[in-house]
Amino acid sequence: MLETPPLTRTRVGLAYGVAAVVDVLQFSLGPLGWAFADEILDVAAMLVMWRVIGFHPLLLPTFVLEILPIADVLPLWTGCVALVVALRRKQQGSVQRTPGPPAPGPIIDV
């Protein structure tokens, strides 16, 4: 399985930037969009997100929801990036906060 890339400020900023641009473009195209322009944007957004912040299961329902005519005017990609980044940061934080063995020293029993 592919390794999840570490979240850096650059990666998070790039993911938010791409998501926002795709959402704005889809909003400007309207709910019906142009012939396959929305779908091309969705495929490109998913591939870029996968490359920048790594695969996350939340990318799949976002991609599917974006196919629906009215849902593509909502900022779903930006919301998906926010959720994935928050979950990854929480996951990375819990890994870093895992306590190690206690330091050597006297044992005090009460």
Side-chain angles (χ1 to χ4, degrees), residues 12 17 19 24 31 38 62 76 79 91 96 99 101-102 109:
V12 171
V24 166
D38 286 339
T62 304
L76 294 176
Q91 181 184 26
Q96 293 173 352
D109 258 344

Side-chain angles (χ1 to χ4, degrees), residues 12-85:
V12 171
L14 180 61
Y16 273 118
V18 169
V21 166
V22 169
D23 285 336
V24 166
L25 285 173
Q26 287 183 331
F27 182 76
S28 65
L29 289 174
L32 299 178
W34 294 343
F36 299 109
D38 286 339
E39 289 77 14
I40 292 169
L41 286 170
D42 291 331
V43 170
M46 185 165 172
L47 292 174
V48 170
M49 297 306 157
W50 194 340
R51 182 77 174 136
V52 173
I53 59 176
F55 176 77
H56 194 278
L58 286 175
L59 292 172
L60 297 175
T62 304
F63 180 73
V64 171
L65 281 173
E66 285 285 349
I67 293 173
L68 300 174
I70 301 300
D72 65 350
V73 296
L74 298 172
L76 294 176
W77 284 116
T78 306
C80 179
V81 168
L83 280 172
V84 170
V85 167

